[in-house]
Amino acid sequence: MAFKAPVKDQLFCMKELAGIDQIAQIPGFEDAGYETAQAVLEEAAKFNEEVVAPLNWSGDQDHGSWDNGVVKASPGFKEAYKALTEGGWQGLQMPTEYGGQGLPKTIGAACIEMTMAANLSFSLCSILTTGATEALLTAASDELKQRYIPKMIEGTWTGTMNLTEPQAGSDLALVRSKAVKQADGTYRISGQKIFITYGEHDMSENIVHLVLARTPDAPEGVKGISLFVVPKFMVNADGSLGQRNDVYCASIEEKLGIKASPTAVLVYGDDKGEVGPGAIGYLVGEENRGLEYMFIMMNAARYDVGLQGLAVSERAYQHAVAYARDRVQSRPVDGSAKESVAIIHHPDVKRMLMTMRALIEGERAMAMVGAAAYDTAHHHPDADTAKQAQAFYEFLVPLIKGFSTENSVEVTSLGVQVHGGMGFIEETGAAQYYRDSRILPIYEGTTAIQANDLVGRKTARDGGAMARAIAAQIADVEGQLTGRASEAGKKYAAQLKTAREAFLQVVDFVLANVKANPNAVFAGSVPYLMLTGNLVSGWQMGRALIVAEDKLAAGEDAAFMSAKVATCRFYGDHILARVASLRDSILQGGESVTAMPVDAF
Amino acid sequence: MAFKAPVKDQLFCMKELAGIDQIAQIPGFEDAGYETAQAVLEEAAKFNEEVVAPLNWSGDQDHGSWDNGVVKASPGFKEAYKALTEGGWQGLQMPTEYGGQGLPKTIGAACIEMTMAANLSFSLCSILTTGATEALLTAASDELKQRYIPKMIEGTWTGTMNLTEPQAGSDLALVRSKAVKQADGTYRISGQKIFITYGEHDMSENIVHLVLARTPDAPEGVKGISLFVVPKFMVNADGSLGQRNDVYCASIEEKLGIKASPTAVLVYGDDKGEVGPGAIGYLVGEENRGLEYMFIMMNAARYDVGLQGLAVSERAYQHAVAYARDRVQSRPVDGSAKESVAIIHHPDVKRMLMTMRALIEGERAMAMVGAAAYDTAHHHPDADTAKQAQAFYEFLVPLIKGFSTENSVEVTSLGVQVHGGMGFIEETGAAQYYRDSRILPIYEGTTAIQANDLVGRKTARDGGAMARAIAAQIADVEGQLTGRASEAGKKYAAQLKTAREAFLQVVDFVLANVKANPNAVFAGSVPYLMLTGNLVSGWQMGRALIVAEDKLAAGEDAAFMSAKVATCRFYGDHILARVASLRDSILQGGESVTAMPVDAF
């Protein structure tokens, strides 16, 4: 089924909720207003619909190959990646001094959302390269930056992030890879890294690995981890490629989904290159500060995975809608037709499609607002404004990551269900999204890791200040909604209020117990994340409802605005409604989660 | 990971909740009391653990082959099916006059649950054969019964159910396959059937297809469908096999899961056999009553799919627990250890495992109580008792099917999540359950079809009588719980009361609106099913809590009983808590489900 980029809703979120025109007032972003956004998004839509999307299903079927350390990407991926970089998409948000276009994240996020929806596996090459580039921008010396970043932006080289080892997944304190300093200032790296996305492939001339490892005298735990650049091929002084470095792809995983994205086991230091034993690496920043640099970048990576959740949901939704319009089965329950009708007319099919749609639109609104906060935080000239925006963005990241990816599993599952038996047949395509989405609540920090972050760093550390500041903003929107003439506005205000009050109860519970009874709090941390993500998305949907009703009254874009109103109403009735159960579960159930002795399971 | 049959919990449900000793007082079941159950279940456990379970993962990997109409089953399946039938398992619940053992469903259901958990794909051959056998028992002539049933029970022949056609899935009114009566009283069948589980394979000497088709002068719609027996090989008068009939396997589907179960496209009447054009079929019962016979059998089939949901959940749970005990990662949040610990100690992992466990135990309790109701309905000498039990059983069937299968998608997804990144690697095995489970809310009637049944035939038709009778029984359990000395009992009573009252509100809503505003009611039909399944399982968990606390106080089987108490408490705090949101969604949200015009999606 042809993919259609959701440009219209992205522009709505960007303009009406994220405030792209305010972003355009920040120095450096003067040319990045609504008109620019519109032009860029339309180009991005064309590219992703025509070039990237057609490779999604074929990539799942023929997902490349591994042969003695050499990995061939899925057919067409190499050419598509060339087209992506030549179109300037890899450098969209990158600094102009390295060949990027310096556009705000508010625009960039919408573009990469399209690529993810068009082809999740393919998009990861771009995203991981962006992640590695940002790590270098954050902490590398000018020399390293100059040597690597322009090539990564122009697309001749790609990047990877090497964190995980067999014994060190969520727990990076357990990283064991070694880095031994040489007389020339370089390091020799050895160890095994697993789950390395695009760790090996033939889509670029070189691969720039960012690798976490320990120096021999490093302290134990997370404070003894350093970050290194390890190129697949050594880079000569003139920028040309030299010897093969000592990093080798031992295998590619057989995965449930995102099959066209090669997930590599990489072995460093087995003397399989041309440089002798030990991969040659260059320290990024200072020794023992690797995790700190990674964490800066990880917020970006987590944000991106949240977008992936949103994106694969959008794709699954479009697929399901197309099938539901086409498939004729059974008469309507209200007797409005004597013949069988397209299943989209049946209430339960509508319920499923509306659930998918409402989650997607809520998540997109939250993500776009998050992107604008990022732009403000990183570029606003007023330090206080920037600082406040940064705190807000950091609060949102675990929600964007956790809420959107957990929901993507639900949404893609509903996508299969809408297809009935055909959904279970791989050829139909709905099952691919269901398989692909399942990694999203896991990688770049599981939902539990996001929830720990939300509880600890984002809620408890400032004594609930940001949580309450958000609640106050939501109360303000409730006030606006209550004051409206429309029934829908008043009803939504009441639903938002109920959800906000539940949130505040939970925040109080978290603050009161996180020290004294951490088990009870962390037993409810994922429900707390889901409740908060639901509320914050619902807050944005409340703002959207106000805008859409006003535009509708003004006769502006009636079809889009009335669909937006309908989706907001559904969000209030059915998605916000989930908050009550989550609250009860958190407040009453901390003890019963942990009561059972481990041996009794 | 080795599978361990959940014999202990099955026996608990059977004895304490389903009342196996009452079943043993029904004439014909005198030898089917607790002792028998125990002996049979222990044998079944041995067989399924040792013979069936080891073929689960290998079957997923090497799932047989299709070559020019001939299908080879996965390696080992043929031998395992032979062992299953030789062990007498295929005839467990079948009448003794045809070679069965005549045991009650209360025991039979527990045995087949084990087979399903051991190997879902494999179990389907047995289940479909049972389904076809029951269709014959229900409606076929003595001659047909004598000719087919003994062979199906002894395992030399297997059976299939042929309902679906490309244009006729949920909507059987659209069935087009033709059956033309011949001078000798047989029929010639032609048409295409899809999604036929074990429609072709080499595990038995013959395959007995039960086929829905229309005679030339049949009325339109569901009242013009007849049921036929169509053997793969004709059966001679002496029971030996004759010519190849004109039914041909055109292809096998590539599916998301249950890959080792061959899903066939069957073509009837293409003159590919030895009998000339048209498959020779024998009418079962009377013309035009096919759907009626199917429906009798479909309740059994739906019950069985509900068990599949429970079973695959149990398997996923065991897999996840084993991993969580083994995988060491991160220090405990409560500071109780300085080193990283097995992840089963982390509150969120416990939350996931307890959610899986509570759903499984609740579903099993409901399923076992349902099986006992079936036995009472079919065998109790008192007509009124039997009738009441039948109505209760029929109310439970959509819950057992819908609730347990929808939850199986959640439970197997949690199973993947517990494994972190390893869960996404196929070799780990957790992903198989996630893939396998996804068909369960679809086949034998999607969840929406179950929910329509619950609303229409099971709730509205008797004016809510059975729904309210169940609520009254639940109120009685609340009373028992409230009167207990334990805090857990009192808390559970309050939670059950809240859930029951929500249920009654929804029942009132359904009854008040089903005629006047069917769209609003059917917009909430699946949430109503989930709410009701949750409550009915929770009712059984409330009964289990009483028994377990009493046994614990009496010093009986302390480890099992205290785990049961812990699981019941979790059910009350976290699973029953879901009811509130479902109620709100149903009561307030009927209109917003259907408000969006079809063109606006």
Side-chain angles (χ1 to χ4, degrees), chain A residues 165-172 174 194-195 253-259 263 317 321 325 327-331 333-334 340 344-345 347-348 350-354 357 406 409 412-414 416-417 420-427 431 434-439 441-442 446-449 452 491 495 518-519 522-527 559 562-564 566-567 569-570 572-574 577-582 584-586 588-601, chain B residues 165-172 174 194-195 253-259 263 317 321 325 327-331 333-334 340 344-345 347-348 350-354 357 406 409 412-414 416-417 420-427 431 434-439 441-442 446-448 452 491 495 518-519 522-527 559 562-564 566-567 569-570 572-574 577-582 584-586 588-601:
Chain A
E165 298 177 9
Q167 78 294 345
S170 297
D171 188 358
L172 291 172
L174 303 176
I194 62 169
F195 297 161
E253 308 285 1
E254 270 306 315
K255 307 190 300 298
L256 171 63
I258 54 165
K259 293 190 181 191
T263 303
Y317 169 75
V321 168
R325 276 193 212 291
R327 172 72 171 170
V328 172
Q329 202 79 174
S330 302
R331 283 176 292 180
V333 289
D334 62 4
S340 298
I344 198 169
H345 291 278
D348 190 64
K350 283 194 174 175
R351 180 190 63 83
M352 293 193 276
L353 295 176
M354 287 303 293
R357 184 181 176 107
E406 287 285 335
V409 176
T412 56
S413 179
L414 286 171
V416 172
Q417 188 73 17
M422 289 305 297
F424 202 63
I425 307 300
E426 285 287 0
E427 202 185 356
Y434 178 69
R435 290 188 285 99
D436 283 358
S437 69
R438 196 62 198 76
I439 191 60
I442 296 173
T446 62
T447 309
I449 298 287
N452 286 357
K491 190 179 185 191
Q495 291 164 335
N519 284 328
F522 287 99
S525 60
V526 167
S562 60
K564 181 62 82 178
T567 308
R569 288 179 55 211
F570 184 93
D573 288 351
H574 300 278
R578 298 178 179 189
V579 164
S581 292
L582 292 166
D584 293 350
S585 178
I586 297 164
Q588 76 188 356
E591 208 213 321
S592 61
V593 170
T594 52
M596 184 118 106
V598 162
D599 294 341
F601 278 90
Chain B
E165 298 177 9
Q167 79 294 344
S170 297
D171 189 358
L172 291 172
L174 303 176
I194 62 169
F195 297 161
E253 308 285 0
E254 270 306 315
K255 306 190 300 297
L256 171 62
I258 54 164
K259 293 190 182 192
T263 302
Y317 169 76
V321 168
R325 277 193 210 291
R327 173 71 171 171
V328 172
Q329 203 78 174
S330 301
R331 283 176 293 180
V333 288
D334 62 3
S340 297
I344 198 169
H345 292 278
D348 190 64
K350 283 194 174 177
R351 179 189 63 81
M352 293 193 276
L353 295 175
M354 287 302 293
R357 184 181 176 107
E406 287 286 334
V409 176
T412 57
S413 178
L414 287 171
V416 172
Q417 188 72 17
M422 289 306 296
F424 202 62
I425 307 299
E426 285 287 359
E427 201 185 356
Y434 178 70
R435 290 188 283 99
D436 284 357
S437 70
R438 196 62 198 76
I439 191 59
I442 295 173
T446 62
T447 309
N452 287 357
K491 190 180 186 192
Q495 290 164 333
N519 284 328
F522 287 98
S525 60
V526 167
S562 61
K564 180 61 81 178
T567 308
R569 287 179 55 210
F570 184 94
D573 288 351
H574 300 278
R578 298 178 180 189
V579 164
S581 292
L582 292 167
D584 294 349
S585 179
I586 297 164
Q588 77 188 357
E591 208 212 321
S592 61
V593 170
T594 52
M596 184 118 106
V598 162
D599 294 341
F601 277 91

Side-chain angles (χ1 to χ4, degrees), chain A residues 168-191:
Chain A
S170 297
D171 188 358
L172 291 172
L174 303 176
V175 160
R176 282 190 211 138
S177 289
K178 272 190 199 154
V180 180
K181 193 166 185 175
Q182 308 295 303
D184 64 357
T186 65
Y187 290 73
R188 288 282 183 163
I189 316 279
S190 58

Side-chain angles (χ1 to χ4, degrees), chain A residues 38-301:
Chain A
Q38 203 167 13
V40 171
L41 264 60
E42 276 161 17
E43 270 309 300
K46 204 166 128 60
F47 171 71
N48 287 297
E49 288 168 5
E50 292 174 7
V51 178
V52 182
L55 300 174
N56 186 50
W57 168 245
S58 61
D60 187 73
Q61 295 301 294
D62 182 354
H63 47 277
S65 61
W66 179 94
D67 182 25
N68 197 25
V70 176
V71 175
K72 276 199 173 169
S74 288
F77 272 43
K78 183 174 180 170
E79 295 73 16
Y81 195 70
K82 191 154 186 277
L84 179 143
T85 51
E86 286 176 355
W89 301 109
Q90 187 59 27
L92 210 65
Q93 292 176 62
M94 291 294 152
T96 48
E97 60 184 299
Y98 296 107
Q101 299 187 46
L103 285 175
K105 190 181 185 81
T106 312
I107 295 176
C111 294
I112 191 72
E113 185 206 322
M114 293 184 205
T115 309
M116 293 161 171
N119 192 331
L120 194 54
S121 287
F122 174 80
S123 74
L124 296 178
C125 188
S126 166
I127 295 162
L128 268 293
T129 301
T130 301
T133 309
E134 282 174 355
L136 294 172
L137 283 169
T138 299
S141 66
D142 278 346
E143 193 197 332
L144 286 176
K145 285 184 193 168
Q146 293 297 346
R147 197 188 307 166
Y148 290 100
I149 294 178
K151 294 280 192 184
M152 292 165 81
I153 290 178
E154 78 179 35
T156 39
W157 302 353
T158 60
T160 73
M161 307 299 312
N162 287 235
L163 287 72
T164 306
E165 298 177 9
Q167 78 294 345
S170 297
D171 188 358
L172 291 172
L174 303 176
V175 160
R176 282 190 211 138
S177 289
K178 272 190 199 154
V180 180
K181 193 166 185 175
Q182 308 295 303
D184 64 357
T186 65
Y187 290 73
R188 288 282 183 163
I189 316 279
S190 58
Q192 193 193 70
K193 293 287 181 178
I194 62 169
F195 297 161
I196 308 308
T197 302
Y198 280 93
E200 181 56 57
H201 60 81
D202 60 354
M203 288 161 62
S204 63
E205 293 168 15
N206 201 4
I207 303 177
V208 182
H209 301 296
L210 276 279
V211 185
L212 291 183
R214 285 178 194 286
T215 55
D217 53 353
E220 279 190 20
V222 295
K223 290 184 178 163
I225 297 175
S226 304
L227 180 64
F228 300 90
V229 181
V230 182
K232 175 178 168 184
F233 288 101
M234 302 306 296
V235 180
N236 298 322
D238 64 356
S240 64
L241 297 183
Q243 291 175 305
R244 183 71 162 82
N245 205 350
D246 189 13
V247 48
Y248 174 78
C249 175
S251 64
I252 292 289
E253 308 285 1
E254 270 306 315
K255 307 190 300 298
L256 171 63
I258 54 165
K259 293 190 181 191
S261 157
T263 303
V265 174
L266 292 184
V267 178
Y268 291 84
D270 252 12
D271 201 4
K272 296 213 169 170
E274 298 166 338
V275 298
I280 297 174
Y282 306 91
L283 181 68
V284 176
E286 296 170 26
E287 279 190 11
N288 300 331
R289 292 183 61 188
L291 209 68
E292 186 187 320
Y293 307 142
M294 273 289 172
F295 259 104
I296 292 169
M297 202 206 43
M298 224 181 274
N299 270 330

Side-chain angles (χ1 to χ4, degrees), chain B residues 92-113:
Chain B
L92 211 65
Q93 293 176 62
M94 291 295 152
T96 48
E97 60 183 301
Y98 296 106
Q101 299 187 45
L103 285 176
K105 189 180 185 81
T106 313
I107 296 176
C111 294
I112 192 71
E113 185 205 323

Side-chain angles (χ1 to χ4, degrees), chain B residues 382-395:
Chain B
D382 179 63
D384 270 0
T385 306
K387 195 179 157 195
Q388 199 56 26
Q390 178 65 22
F392 179 53
Y393 174 69
E394 287 184 2
F395 191 91

